[in-house]
Amino acid sequence: MNIYNDYLKEIEDRKTQGLNPKPIDSADLVSEIIMQIKDSNNANRKDSISFFIYNTVPGTTPAAGVKASFLKEIVLGESVVNEITPAFALELLSQMKGGPSIKVLLDLALGNEITIAKVAAEVLKTQVFLYEADTDRLEAAFKNGSAFAKEILVSYAKAEFFTKLPGVVEEIQVVTYVAGEGDISTDLLSPGNQAHSRSDRELHGKCLISPEAQDEIKALQAQHPDKSVMLIAEKGTMGVGSSRMSGVNNVALWTGKKASPYVPFINIAPIVAGTNGISPIFLTTVDVTGGIGLDLQNWVKKTDANGTVVRNENGEPILEEVYSIATGTVLTINTKTKKLYNGDKELIDISKAFTPQKMEFIKAGGSYAIVFGKKLQTFASKTLGIDIVSVFAPSKEISIEGQGLTAVEKIFNKNAVGSTPGKVLHAGSDVRVTVNIVGSQDTTGLMTSQELESMAATVISPIVDGAYQSGCHTASVWDNKSKANIPRLMKFMNDFGLITARDPKGNYHAMTDVIHKVLNDITVDEWAIIIGGDSHTRMSKGVAFGADSGTVALALATGEASMPIPESVKVTFKGDMKEYMDFRDVVHATQSQMLKQFGGENVFQGRIIEVHLGTLTADQAFTFTDWTAEMKAKASICISEDDTLIESLEIAKGRIQIMIDKGMDNENQVLKGLIAIANNRIAAIRSGDKPALIPDANAKYFAEVVIDLDIVAEPMIADPDVNNADVSKRYTHDTIRPLSFYGGVKKVDLGFVGSCMVHKGDLKILSQMLKNIDEQHGKVEFKAPLVVAPPTYNIVDELKAEGDWEVLQKYSGFEFDDNAPKGEARTGYENILYLERPGCNLCMGNQEKAAKGDTVMATSTRLFQGRVVEDTEGKKGESLLSSTPVVVLSTILGRTPTLEEYKAAVKGINLTQFAPSHKLLVR
């Protein structure tokens, strides 16, 4: 009774937070609940039945295994529970979706009780989450003459699990709720500082927007009980940033519908919209849940009589409202005409939201069911020896005679699965592709593990070359929340087949390296496709897509991903970098110059940035590819010269070997296999058999951008522009300002050098600056705190070997100690240098934060409201993003430096330099 009583106590504790009982995933607790159900005189029997039916987590959880076994007893008559008839037991099994429930259904369908077998077979026909162990049983039974096995296979071959589902309703009534003006970061929907609660869906749902917003949404639902609430980003894009799955889950929890009456707190079918549409990664996540994402275009650029865009005094286009979507407006989505209406008035074409594939996701309740359904149909047809019946919407295949291929088109063609053999596919084609590298990060990892359990996956797909589970987002503070969550996550992922940052057995040192840096190292083929659970999954080798936790789970389980081949924008460079400039300034200048060249239109948004860096190795080039997430690109590809790529692969090999030496390889020797892949790739480049990936000379791009390095004359800063009168212009990453804009007088309260945007060279720059300042002034004195978080332990080790870490130690007032990690986040900072543990630190915003209202100068990528720094009532927090030398000098001075001060401070220092390639990087 101890376990059950502990659960009752937890329920009482949750009541004080306004929460329902936590969903049960413990086998021991469910076993005790079942004992109480079987005891007709037990005082807890009624509640136990309710917990068993409505509150037990399905899939492959330990609880699900025990539940499925008991339901089997009921179906067979071995246990009698008046409240759960055999028919109801089968219904409950059907709602468990996979894993032990499929095993039980197969036991029943292939058993000797004909009446039971017939009913169980009917239930199995509705299931799609079958794996090899399940399909092998079906195939064997079919070959042994089982009539029910054949019947099930015939149904699968016809895809009746899909065709017999209700169709998508023609009209969907929505009532609007404007969640905010301007780009809406997923931090508004799922704040980083609440990341610890993401796996507790109801608790995490409490952090959506604000309590006031939640009350407003509930009021709209009460006023319009027959309509869905549609969350909107007015004058902006919905869902930029990270935390996508938890953001969509929260929106669905508040505005969607229950996935099953017997599965707690899992909702689907949210409807979201934005004036400028939905962020590409966020839209993919909406698809996962069978939701709808609309591009409203309800504000357009004002034009004069000649069609010229009218601009304000700042040169920015003036916007005009085409139609209102003010909170409380009732609109109609017509899925047949694919139009949006206000009453009888047609507002806009929304056909992009209702492609044949998206209609299938909506019908099936999410994209997973379609992915698994297609695989199941293929298996059944092959087993029966028949052709595949055309049921699902045909994949769009675009092939243009005489047109060459961009780099991403080449990669997708190489990795394509199931497309027409021999057909060359161009942008816009729908493609299933194999995935080479997969990354899971720690604040979404628990959700990924839940997704894997819900889709009944137990082991990583054998076609994945390598996968890694990080510990970087919870690296700063080893608090009670981390101690409860992270070891459990690491064990699950290690058992599943991933290389894990922490060893569940404790044999190797915990590694909190930033996930993107690790993925960048373990990507050892520039033809690779990478899927990672973070928006900054942007490798400088291969093409990488940041994804929600569900898409990561799908890639781990199946080794595949599905998406249209994106269009590309080509970025090349001319001119020369000034010696006092840092490559980070080139990155910012790229965004600034692109916006100027295209009249304020972001041509990068939703597309691949094919950047021809050529001569920069992977570590340095990563600074560019990483930032492409803030450019709102779908992904990026770095085009390298042969020698540069070989150098990058050799560096990667060395770092993978370090991981092996630490004992991180698993029984499948995944890391050893990656070194073999790298060796083969290097040999192919050197021999000329397969040079470094470059596009065709006659490839077609959406746009081509040429960045003039000659005009990048001073450091560039990405400014959140928190006081812009136009709310939609705040926190967008698009406001790039020269250092001189600040006149050397803007107060800086804290500096941060760290996150994925820095490499070893940045830490060496810091070391050299501190030595210079000491020589020039006789001491190093900070007028603002400087927080330094190296991205990886490898970098720390290399800095120690080269003498730079000793310099940093000399000037620091705090140095991390892995033997005694911080148990609590800092609430205040002294004016000293803090050498923090490798990891994300301030950039993540879930553990360490700047003081409220601070102005932070950071190498980070995050300037979203409340992420690195929160507001006070009297002052908005600002996170300005710049190069390492600007951050360091700002903390020494306590303010932004002048250009002259900056030049003097970096004189003689080897900054991260870049020179455009003189080779023609096309074929």
Side-chain angles (χ1 to χ4, degrees), residues 20-280:
N20 289 290
K22 194 173 182 178
I24 300 167
D25 60 8
S26 163
D28 291 339
L29 179 54
V30 175
S31 296
E32 195 163 310
I33 284 170
I34 290 170
M35 287 174 55
Q36 293 175 170
I37 291 172
K38 289 181 176 180
D39 179 3
S40 58
N41 296 317
N42 193 288
N44 297 313
R45 186 174 182 277
K46 182 178 179 181
D47 285 343
S48 293
I49 289 172
S50 179
F51 291 145
F52 179 82
I53 294 173
Y54 298 105
N55 215 43
T56 304
V57 179
T60 56
T61 63
V66 177
K67 180 173 181 176
S69 295
F70 185 49
L71 291 172
K72 180 181 178 182
E73 290 179 21
I74 294 173
V75 173
L76 292 174
E78 297 169 359
S79 291
V80 177
V81 179
N82 292 334
E83 295 87 348
I84 305 176
T85 63
F88 186 32
L90 283 164
E91 168 66 10
L92 290 175
L93 283 166
S94 77
Q95 297 291 320
M96 292 176 69
K97 298 301 182 187
S101 64
I102 297 294
K103 181 182 182 300
V104 165
L105 288 168
L106 284 168
D107 290 345
L108 298 171
L110 302 178
N112 297 321
E113 296 287 340
I114 302 301
T115 303
I116 292 174
K118 183 175 180 61
V119 181
E122 288 303 312
V123 175
L124 268 172
K125 292 175 185 178
T126 66
Q127 305 296 295
V128 294
F129 293 116
L130 277 70
Y131 288 85
E132 285 187 3
D134 308 315
T135 54
D136 286 350
R137 285 187 68 187
L138 265 180
E139 184 176 4
F142 166 69
K143 289 179 178 177
N144 288 329
S146 168
F148 286 121
K150 181 177 180 180
E151 186 180 312
I152 294 166
L153 287 170
V154 169
S155 177
Y156 287 163
K158 294 178 180 177
E160 290 180 339
F161 48 75
F162 175 72
T163 60
K164 289 190 174 182
L165 293 173
V168 178
V169 297
E170 183 175 329
E171 289 192 345
I172 301 171
Q173 298 279 310
V174 299
V175 56
T176 62
Y177 181 78
V178 175
E181 271 194 68
D183 289 352
I184 290 186
S185 162
T186 42
D187 266 30
L188 186 73
L189 312 177
S190 170
N193 61 8
Q194 298 299 311
H196 63 276
S197 67
R198 285 174 181 164
S199 58
D200 184 346
R201 293 199 182 198
E202 186 191 19
L203 173 60
H204 194 66
K206 297 286 186 181
C207 70
L208 176 80
I209 310 177
S210 68
E212 294 76 18
Q214 294 163 17
D215 289 341
E216 291 165 359
I217 289 170
K218 284 192 287 188
L220 284 173
Q221 290 168 330
Q223 188 179 348
H224 303 275
D226 58 335
K227 300 175 182 66
S228 296
V229 174
M230 179 169 72
L231 253 63
I232 297 173
E234 173 76 303
K235 294 186 183 178
T237 302
M238 171 65 80
V240 300
S242 52
S243 316
R244 295 158 300 276
M245 194 76 225
S246 52
V248 169
N249 284 345
N250 279 353
V251 175
L253 191 66
W254 284 95
T255 67
K257 58 186 180 183
K258 282 180 70 67
S260 164
Y262 311 114
V263 180
F265 309 119
I266 295 183
N267 283 17
I268 59 173
I271 303 175
V272 294
T275 293
N276 301 327
I278 317 295
S279 168

Side-chain angles (χ1 to χ4, degrees), residues 93 130 380 511 582 587 611 723 813 840 850 918:
L93 283 166
L130 277 70
M511 189 171 82
D582 186 80
V587 174
V611 56
N723 295 311
C840 301
H918 295 297

